[in-house]
Amino acid sequence: MMLVPARRNDFLSDFLSDPWDMGFFGNRPQGQKPAPAMMKTDIKETEKAFELDIDLPGFKKENVHAELQDGYLTVSANTETETEDKDEQGTYLRKERFTGSCSRSFYVGDDISEDDISAKFENGILKVTVPKKQLPAPEEAKKVIGIE
C-alpha cells in the first residue's frame, strides 16, 4: 500500500501559492508548479505506518476535521477572523474580515478504517498516523507437471 495525495487541477491553486516559491521575478524551474501556501504536508513512511504532518497555522482544533470515505482520507479546516482598528473618536480607519476553508485528500486504501487512523492537533500542526495494512499472502497453487 502506498499513501498518495489526491491531485486536482484547481484554478484557485495558483492564488493560494506562496509568492516566495516563485523565486525572483516570478522565475521558476520549467515544469515546476507552485506549492500550495495552505495545508503544506510532510509525509513520512515508517516500517509500520505513514505519518502526515499538515501545517494549519491560525486554525483552531475545533475547526479542523478529518473523515474517511471510499479509501480517501480528507482533512478540512475553516476559519473566521476579524481585525479592527479605531481612532480616538471610534471611527473606523480599517476593518477587515477573513472567512475561508481549505481541504486536502489522500488515498489511503479501501482496507483502512477510521478506527485504524489516529490524529492529534498541536501548535498549528495536525499529526495523522495511518498504519500500513499487511495484505494476506496469496495462496500458492500447486504446480502439477504433466507426465507423458
Side-chain angles (χ1 to χ4, degrees):
M1 178 185 87
M2 179 189 302
L3 185 72
V4 180
R7 297 265 186 215
R8 293 186 300 257
N9 286 335
D10 188 359
F11 173 74
L12 294 176
S13 66
D14 288 337
F15 295 107
L16 296 174
S17 299
D18 187 344
W20 292 106
D21 287 344
M22 295 289 290
F24 290 108
F25 307 109
N27 294 327
R28 176 183 331 125
Q30 189 165 352
Q32 179 182 347
K33 291 196 60 107
M38 298 178 87
M39 296 188 81
K40 290 190 178 186
T41 304
D42 296 333
I43 302 173
K44 179 181 174 183
E45 182 177 7
T46 65
E47 189 176 312
K48 296 182 179 185
F50 293 99
E51 297 173 356
L52 290 81
D53 287 347
I54 303 171
D55 289 347
L56 293 167
F59 288 90
K60 296 178 183 175
K61 180 181 175 180
E62 57 269 13
N63 294 335
V64 177
H65 307 282
E67 70 176 36
L68 182 66
Q69 185 174 6
D70 299 327
Y72 284 89
L73 170 66
T74 300
V75 176
S76 59
N78 57 16
T79 188
E80 187 172 316
T81 58
E82 187 170 307
T83 302
E84 210 176 278
D85 290 338
K86 294 182 182 182
D87 64 7
E88 291 103 31
Q89 288 81 29
T91 56
Y92 291 111
L93 298 176
R94 178 177 71 109
K95 186 175 182 179
E96 298 179 348
R97 288 160 296 291
F98 172 76
T99 301
S101 63
C102 54
S103 69
R104 193 146 184 209
S105 295
F106 303 89
Y107 183 71
V108 296
D110 294 324
D111 55 338
I112 298 290
S113 74
E114 59 274 358
D115 294 331
D116 298 327
I117 299 172
S118 64
K120 182 178 183 180
F121 188 73
E122 193 173 59
N123 298 324
I125 298 175
L126 178 64
K127 295 181 177 290
V128 180
T129 302
V130 180
K132 292 181 181 179
K133 288 278 186 162
Q134 295 297 327
L135 298 176
E139 292 182 24
E140 251 186 72
K142 290 184 181 178
K143 297 181 181 175
V144 178
I145 299 172
I147 299 175
E148 290 185 36

